[in-house]
């Protein structure tokens, strides 16, 4: 009896592609008063990943990704939920915020845009360029000889607000009032919204009353403000 030599079969393995470890998104403490968008911390986070984590959700760090997400039909406007995310679910600011152009979507957004756009069109703005330049020159003249200034309060705020007054036919003498009210309402866009909500609500009421008075004035004397 003869026997054949036996061979031991070796298990075969299929080569697997090497896996690359996915980068871990950074965490940004945007609630820290020292946080800055132009910081090295943010630049490093952007280099490492297209988004970072924060205590309020993800922060998209790259322009291309932001653009793609904003255009995606799979996403909806999240800004409308900002007050509620910070415990503000009622009051004047909450009611006003839900109606602003920033958070409206669809047909209602387009309807309001069509009403607002003509006031800020190039055709409407072009004849005002000389007035804008004169305003800028006048503001600069107030502090140029000092060799330095606090730019935000002595140029940016008065210039931007007075330009708005000119474009909308509002008395420029009211610019400080409008700026102060708008700045207070702007606190509603910050992470300290809840602790400032009483001030914010009062500012919304006051600015709304001011706007309504302008509307009444325009209806009574349309030619006086044309």
């Amino acid at each position: 009896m003869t026997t054949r030599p036996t061979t031991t079969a070796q298990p075969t393995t299929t080569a697997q592609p090497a896996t690359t470890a996915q980068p871990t998104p950074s965490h940004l403490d945007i609630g820290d008063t020292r946080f800055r968008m132009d910081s090295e911390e943010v630049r490093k986070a952007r280099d490492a990943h297209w988004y970072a984590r924060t205590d309020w959700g993800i922060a998209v760090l790259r322009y291309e990704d932001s653009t793609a997400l904003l255009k995606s039909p799979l996403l909806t406007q999240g800004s409308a939920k900002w007050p509620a995310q910070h415990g503000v679910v009622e009051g004047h600011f909450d009611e006003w915020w839900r109606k602003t152009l920033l958070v409206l979507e669809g047909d209602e957004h387009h309807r309001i845009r069509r009403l607002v756009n003509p006031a800020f069109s190039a055709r409407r703005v072009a004849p005002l360029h000389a007035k804008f330049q004169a305003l800028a020159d006048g503001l600069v003249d107030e502090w140029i000889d000092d060799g330095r200034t606090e730019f935000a309060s002595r140029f940016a705020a008065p210039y931007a607000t007075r330009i708005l007054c000119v474009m909308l036919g509002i008395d420029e003498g009211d610019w400080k009032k409008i700026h102060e009210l708008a700045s207070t309402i702007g606190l509603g866009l910050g992470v300290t919204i809840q602790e400032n909500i009483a001030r914010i609500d009062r500012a919304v009421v006051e600015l709304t009353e001011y706007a309504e008075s302008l509307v009444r004035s325009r209806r009574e004397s349309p030619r006086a403000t044309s």
Side-chain angles (χ1 to χ4, degrees), residues 123-141:
R123 182 179 179 182
R124 172 77 174 85
V125 172
L128 301 174
H129 284 176
K131 189 173 183 66
F132 295 167
Q133 185 63 58
L135 173 58
D137 292 342
L139 290 170
V140 172
D141 286 344

Side-chain angles (χ1 to χ4, degrees), residues 2 19 24 29 36 49 68-69 76 83 90-91 103 136 174 185 215:
T2 60
T19 58
T24 302
D29 185 6
R36 294 291 182 271
H49 208 285
L69 290 172
T76 58
E90 61 182 357
V103 303
D174 288 347
I185 294 173
V215 172

Side-chain angles (χ1 to χ4, degrees), residues 88-149:
V88 177
V89 294
E90 61 182 357
H92 297 291
F93 176 79
D94 181 63
E95 182 180 354
W96 170 81
W97 180 249
R98 295 172 186 271
K99 300 175 183 178
T100 60
L101 186 60
L102 181 64
V103 303
L104 291 175
E105 293 191 279
D107 292 341
E108 187 66 2
H109 175 88
H110 294 302
R111 183 182 73 83
I112 300 299
R113 279 285 298 271
R114 287 194 295 270
L115 291 173
V116 172
N117 281 349
F120 301 97
S121 67
R123 182 179 179 182
R124 172 77 174 85
V125 172
L128 301 174
H129 284 176
K131 189 173 183 66
F132 295 167
Q133 185 63 58
L135 173 58
D137 292 342
L139 290 170
V140 172
D141 286 344
E142 294 177 3
W143 45 260
I144 191 65
D145 291 337
D146 298 336
R148 60 184 300 172
T149 191

Side-chain angles (χ1 to χ4, degrees), residues 132-143 149-163 175 179:
F132 295 167
Q133 185 63 58
L135 173 58
D137 292 342
L139 290 170
V140 172
D141 286 344
E142 294 177 3
W143 45 260
T149 191
E150 202 293 302
F151 190 80
S153 63
R154 299 197 66 188
F155 186 87
Y159 182 76
T161 314
R162 290 175 65 179
I163 287 295
W175 83 264
H179 172 68

Side-chain angles (χ1 to χ4, degrees), residues 33-45:
T33 56
R34 296 167 297 178
F35 176 79
R36 294 291 182 271
M37 282 299 299
D38 60 352
S39 66
E40 184 65 22
E41 177 187 21
V42 173
R43 283 191 286 271
K44 288 182 178 179

